Amino acid sequence: MIIGVPKEIKLDEYRVAMLPVGVEELTRRGHKVLIEQGAGLGSGLADHDYLENGCEMVDEAAEIFARADMIVKVKEPMPAEWSLIRPGQIVFTYFHFAADRELTEAILATNCTAVAYETLADDQGRLPLLTPMSEVAGRMSIQEGAKYLERPQMGRGILLGGVPGVAPAWITVLGGGVVGANAAKIAAGFHANVSILDINMDRLRYLDDVMPPNVDVLFSDRHTIRKQLERADLVVGAVLIPGAKAPRLVEREDLKRMQPGSVIIDVAIDQGGCIETSKPTSHSNPTYIVDDVLHYCVTNMPGAVGRTSTYALCNVTLPYVIQIAQQGIDTAAQASKPIARAINMQAGKVTNQAVAETFELPCADLFAKK
């Protein structure tokens, strides 16, 4: 198989979808790997690192899309790439279709096989290709929140951990999954007062066992959320329904309960956001203010720490890239339920139930005779 890795062109995206070791592992199995020139520079990986491991360096993305059987990316294809995708071509990347109807319709029209990192799930419901980026984003949410609580950034002028004689910040984390747990751990390390909310009692019991004493675990409902907003200096949106649009937990009218200069970090923005007033932003222009509350809604948070994120992502994606390259997508999907769950579209039809329900589209049987 010919595997193509184009340079990411989303604004402020510095990750790359393959490490030099991935090139070696694929080429030694008889596959050809095309890498766009400069694709790894944002992650500190020079072209010669890839060339030394057997890739073919290509000048333009158009040639990669024209030649490759499988495209391996990090972020969803940008509009400039839509016309380059060929019918039957495998595109393996983060798509987050539920947050973007235009993207969904465009990729459907290409008749490609869209394999989404974020819906590749094992039999226990874990999301191995989403987990490392959720870990990065969860940890970054506190790092970014601490910065934007500073007064020069239009925040309240609060130090997360306080100092002797001055109380620390109050931090509310909406969602106790991977993002939420990582956010809470880092916030606790700053000695802030932390509350983490979820609707899964088993998860809350687990978090209660593993979190330090300055983290409260609370059952999430409308009343609890509103009460938390009244005292929160920083709110982290960390909810996820795999493949589906994020549930809206905070309405615009709820912002009036928050203190002026408080900060919202909506990590769920990739799936549409869990705050009514959230809208996608970029690292170049990350924040805006609604009702005196600063919003940070960057859709590719891990892209800012490209080197860490690239290694974390490629560590988990490479085995699946190899399996698809070795077996082809149809055989791989038959042999591996996680890969089958990752296929969101094939031959112009939606094959993921959550995506289909989001846009009220029919959901095709992945294994129906073609």
Side-chain angles (χ1 to χ4, degrees), residues 182-195:
N182 278 270
K185 283 193 292 186
I186 298 302
F190 275 97
H191 302 289
N193 295 309
V194 185
S195 295

Side-chain angles (χ1 to χ4, degrees), residues 96 99 137 174 179 236-241 244-247 265-275 278 296-299 301:
H96 297 290
L174 302 175
V179 171
V236 177
V239 295
L240 173 71
I241 300 173
K245 191 173 177 65
I265 308 287
D266 195 350
V267 182
I269 193 65
D270 267 347
Q271 294 291 134
C274 63
I275 315 293
S278 292
Y296 175 102
C297 305
V298 174
T299 56
M301 289 177 65

Side-chain angles (χ1 to χ4, degrees), residues 338-349:
I339 290 176
R341 296 179 184 119
I343 299 175
N344 282 203
M345 297 177 187
Q346 192 170 46
K349 297 179 181 179

Side-chain angles (χ1 to χ4, degrees), residues 53-362:
N53 286 279
C55 86
E56 179 182 337
M57 195 63 63
V58 177
D59 291 336
E60 296 183 355
E63 182 180 348
I64 289 179
F65 279 92
R67 294 174 57 192
D69 303 302
M70 174 165 59
I71 298 293
V72 182
K73 283 177 47 61
V74 177
K75 292 301 290 180
E76 71 278 3
M78 295 289 101
E81 297 171 312
W82 294 347
S83 64
L84 303 178
I85 299 172
R86 308 192 325 270
Q89 192 170 49
I90 304 163
V91 183
F92 195 21
T93 188
Y94 289 116
F95 281 103
H96 297 290
F97 283 121
D100 193 336
R101 176 179 285 275
E102 186 181 11
L103 172 69
T104 301
E105 293 175 347
I107 300 303
L108 270 175
T110 68
N111 289 305
C112 74
T113 298
V115 189
Y117 294 158
E118 71 273 11
T119 63
L120 190 148
D122 64 19
D123 290 339
Q124 288 73 46
R126 295 172 299 198
L127 303 166
L129 306 192
L130 188 61
T131 294
M133 295 303 95
S134 296
E135 291 168 338
V136 171
R139 296 178 185 210
M140 278 189 70
S141 69
I142 304 304
Q143 180 175 306
E144 297 300 312
K147 178 170 68 177
Y148 286 105
L149 274 171
E150 296 172 1
R151 189 59 192 155
Q153 307 294 335
M154 302 304 292
R156 295 194 69 201
I158 289 179
L159 183 68
L160 286 190
V163 292
V166 181
W170 289 94
I171 299 176
T172 296
V173 182
L174 302 175
V178 177
V179 171
N182 278 270
K185 283 193 292 186
I186 298 302
F190 275 97
H191 302 289
N193 295 309
V194 185
S195 295
I196 184 166
L197 282 64
D198 203 279
I199 59 173
N200 184 325
M201 285 304 306
D202 289 335
R203 181 65 176 175
L204 289 176
R205 291 186 180 100
Y206 167 77
L207 292 170
D208 186 57
D209 283 341
V210 301
M211 288 292 167
N214 57 324
V215 178
D216 295 322
V217 296
L218 304 173
F219 187 81
S220 181
D221 59 35
R222 286 287 299 146
H223 288 190
T224 304
I225 291 172
R226 287 199 292 257
K227 187 174 181 179
Q228 286 291 313
L229 293 178
E230 290 173 358
R231 70 177 184 178
D233 302 299
L234 171 63
V235 175
V236 177
V239 295
L240 173 71
I241 300 173
K245 191 173 177 65
R248 181 181 296 171
L249 301 184
V250 178
E251 308 286 345
R252 176 161 187 164
E253 64 181 25
D254 296 333
L255 299 187
K256 298 174 184 176
R257 298 174 179 269
M258 300 180 70
Q259 296 290 330
S262 53
V263 175
I264 291 173
I265 308 287
D266 195 350
V267 182
I269 193 65
D270 267 347
Q271 294 291 134
C274 63
I275 315 293
E276 182 179 2
T277 47
S278 292
K279 60 183 181 181
T281 63
S282 67
H283 289 292
S284 297
N285 189 21
T287 63
Y288 59 93
I289 295 174
V290 177
D291 295 342
D292 296 323
V293 176
L294 189 145
H295 292 56
Y296 175 102
C297 305
V298 174
T299 56
N300 61 329
M301 289 177 65
V305 286
R307 189 166 179 87
T308 296
S309 297
T310 288
Y311 278 85
L313 178 62
C314 293
N315 287 343
V316 294
T317 56
L318 180 60
Y320 295 100
V321 172
I322 291 173
Q323 184 174 356
I324 294 170
Q326 293 286 92
Q327 299 178 340
I329 189 60
D330 291 339
T331 302
Q334 292 277 3
S336 168
K337 289 182 179 179
I339 290 176
R341 296 179 184 119
I343 299 175
N344 282 203
M345 297 177 187
Q346 192 170 46
K349 297 179 181 179
V350 176
T351 55
N352 178 276
Q353 188 66 44
V355 174
E357 289 177 358
T358 298
F359 298 111
E360 298 180 340
L361 295 170

